[in-house]
Amino acid sequence: MLLGEVRARIAFALKQAGKAVLVLLLLTSAAHAQEEAKECEGEGIKAIVACTRILTKDPTNAAALSQRGALYATARQYEKALIDLDAALLQDADQEANLTARSHVNFRLGRFDAAIADANQLLKDKRNLRGLYHRANAHLGSGQFANAVVDYTAYINRDDDFIFAYTGRAKALSELNLDNSALRDADMAFDLLSKSTEPHSPDQADVYETRGAIYEKLHLIFRAINDYARCVEYDPERQTCSASLQRLKAQDLTGSDLKLLATAMAAPFDESPADKNPAGETPSSEKSAETSSVPASSGIFAAYTPTEHHTSRVVWGPSVQVASELSLQQCRAASDACGNKPSVTDNLDDVFAVMCCSKPRVGCAAFAGANAADAKRGVEALFKDAGFSKCKLANTLSARTGEKQ
């Protein structure tokens, strides 16, 4: 073989190899880009990082801008979200998802006129419900309460099971001093939340904060305390609920507030499931209905309803009956395995001991005693008298604060 021919074959082979390497690099790059795009469509900081990598290479990538803007909004980084959403809308000004997200972000930033403008763009399509909701929120935030009621009502007329439309309208009605109507909406939001199968989220704390504020305005202080406490459970970082809870707990509720509350207790309690789950039954004993003999002259009563799910908390009321009703309401909102006989005490220095047993069936009970050891002995006696075994102490809780001991 001639030397020239050899060189030609080598050159051809190298050229073909180069093409193969180039194809491989292109395929690898495409696969990497696809993986980045998939990560960008995820959730949390990992998704934000992936979107940022894409935008570093392509700053005008509309999909990545839109997604990162939505992720920043979810993370409550609203200034960053607004920058991305503005840029995304420059790429596609008619994009419904970006307008919806930006209206929400503008509302959160207190830019109510801008939020209304975005919502009005959405409402060019008369079928757009989200536009109505976001405009109602912006009207509420800017103090246009009557306009907010109109928009929330228009939304509810077309979608009557959206929780936050009711909480929004309840706030607007309360600002207009239509407190009975506001409370009905707040109760409707509570009922919808109770039936929801969605996992708990901080946003859902709004249901309890809204109703708590209305209860407080109506001087239903114990109910307000219970709702603010539930709000803190849903969103521990919500300072407004924490501050309201501490402020009301610090009041002297044995005076005028208590008397005013007693006259207001004719209002019906929130509806809750009445059926008793056998798994949540407490031992059949008179002691388990009302722990110790609670004198009628006492000022504040603490109550706890046991449940095998351990989702109950201590609540307070001005009488045995009211504290018991509120305790049952709280338990049934969080569990379908509640006992039907709350443990009640008028001594806020007491401790509740909570115990569950598994034989002859699953059952839980609570007993209030002067200290944890005394309460434990009391609940053990309840189960022993009722013939239960395989028992385990689940919790000890302060009657004053509801905190674990």
Side-chain angles (χ1 to χ4, degrees):
M1 184 181 295
L2 296 176
L3 181 59
E5 187 179 349
V6 171
R7 287 176 176 171
R9 290 190 177 186
I10 290 173
F12 178 77
L14 289 172
K15 186 177 181 180
Q16 292 300 110
K19 288 182 178 178
V21 170
L22 180 60
V23 170
L24 180 61
L25 287 173
L26 288 172
L27 289 173
T28 302
S29 178
H32 182 66
Q34 189 175 20
E35 183 63 27
E36 275 192 338
K38 185 176 180 180
E39 288 182 5
C40 178
E41 293 171 358
E43 297 178 354
I45 186 64
K46 185 178 179 181
I48 291 175
V49 170
C51 293
T52 301
R53 285 200 302 266
I54 293 172
L55 290 167
T56 300
K57 301 168 190 173
D58 180 9
T60 62
N61 188 306
L65 284 167
S66 177
Q67 177 65 4
R68 191 173 69 173
L71 290 166
Y72 277 139
T74 300
R76 300 182 182 181
Q77 299 182 47
Y78 298 118
E79 294 285 359
K80 291 181 177 180
L82 185 59
I83 292 171
D84 278 354
L85 293 169
D86 281 345
L89 282 164
L90 288 176
Q91 307 301 317
D92 183 0
D94 295 326
Q95 195 173 71
E96 180 180 331
N98 289 330
L99 279 172
T100 300
R102 194 173 70 173
S103 181
H104 170 70
V105 167
N106 278 322
F107 166 72
R108 290 297 186 184
L109 289 172
R111 294 162 46 93
F112 302 122
D113 288 343
I116 290 171
D118 283 342
N120 283 337
Q121 281 204 61
L122 290 167
L123 287 169
K124 289 178 180 177
D125 178 358
K126 300 297 184 183
R127 299 168 297 176
N128 194 305
L129 276 178
R130 301 306 290 176
L132 270 176
Y133 174 68
H134 287 298
R135 191 172 69 180
N137 285 343
H139 282 319
L140 177 65
S142 63
Q144 300 178 58
F145 304 121
N147 287 339
V149 170
V150 170
D151 278 350
Y152 283 128
T153 301
Y155 185 101
I156 290 168
N157 286 342
R158 294 163 63 184
D159 179 5
D160 62 0
D161 61 358
F162 183 52
I163 292 172
F164 300 111
Y166 287 101
T167 58
R169 192 170 69 174
K171 292 174 187 176
L173 289 167
S174 181
E175 291 290 348
L176 293 169
N177 293 318
L178 299 170
D179 295 316
N180 289 334
S181 296
L183 187 55
R184 280 196 295 272
D185 272 358
D187 284 340
M188 177 61 75
F190 171 82
D191 288 342
L192 289 171
L193 181 60
S194 299
K195 298 170 185 174
S196 174
T197 57
E198 296 292 323
H200 289 182
S201 71
D203 286 341
Q204 292 171 344
D206 197 49
V207 172
Y208 292 96
E209 182 174 20
T210 300
R211 193 173 66 171
I214 296 168
Y215 278 152
E216 184 179 357
K217 188 178 178 183
L218 293 170
H219 303 286
L220 298 172
I221 304 302
F222 285 97
R223 294 188 185 187
I225 287 174
N226 289 326
D227 272 358
Y228 286 140
R230 193 74 170 135
C231 173
V232 172
E233 288 179 13
Y234 272 73
D235 187 2
E237 296 182 7
R238 189 171 293 214
Q239 296 300 316
T240 50
C241 283
S242 300
S244 296
L245 180 61
Q246 295 307 315
R247 174 172 47 78
L248 292 185
K249 281 187 173 182
Q251 290 182 14
D252 179 9
L253 299 180
T254 60
S256 58
D257 282 338
L258 184 60
K259 293 175 183 177
L260 186 57
L261 173 64
T263 63
M265 278 300 170
F269 289 97
D270 303 303
E271 294 181 4
S272 55
D275 293 335
K276 179 179 64 177
N277 187 312
E281 289 182 356
T282 53
S284 177
S285 169
E286 293 180 1
K287 293 181 182 178
S288 64
E290 295 175 9
T291 300
S292 70
S293 177
V294 184
S297 59
S298 297
I300 302 174
F301 296 79
Y304 182 88
T305 300
T307 169
E308 63 177 284
H309 297 150
H310 310 306
T311 50
S312 292
R313 57 180 174 80
V314 177
V315 300
W316 302 269
S319 68
V320 173
Q321 179 183 2
V322 171
S324 297
E325 291 273 7
L326 290 172
S327 181
L328 286 167
Q329 172 189 314
Q330 184 277 323
C331 183
R332 290 168 177 167
S335 173
D336 60 358
C338 297
N340 65 339
K341 296 179 180 179
S343 176
V344 185
T345 179
D346 69 334
N347 188 342
L348 299 187
D349 291 328
D350 277 354
V351 174
F352 288 105
V354 186
M355 182 172 285
C356 292
C357 302
S358 57
K359 286 191 175 182
R361 63 182 183 278
V362 175
C364 297
F367 192 96
N371 51 53
D374 182 50
K376 181 183 177 184
R377 284 192 293 271
V379 74
E380 285 175 338
L382 289 180
F383 279 116
K384 183 178 179 181
D385 292 346
F388 279 74
S389 61
K390 297 285 185 179
C391 300
K392 183 178 179 181
L393 186 68
N395 226 338
T396 52
L397 305 166
S398 166
R400 183 177 299 278
T401 67
E403 296 176 354
K404 293 182 179 180
Q405 299 295 291

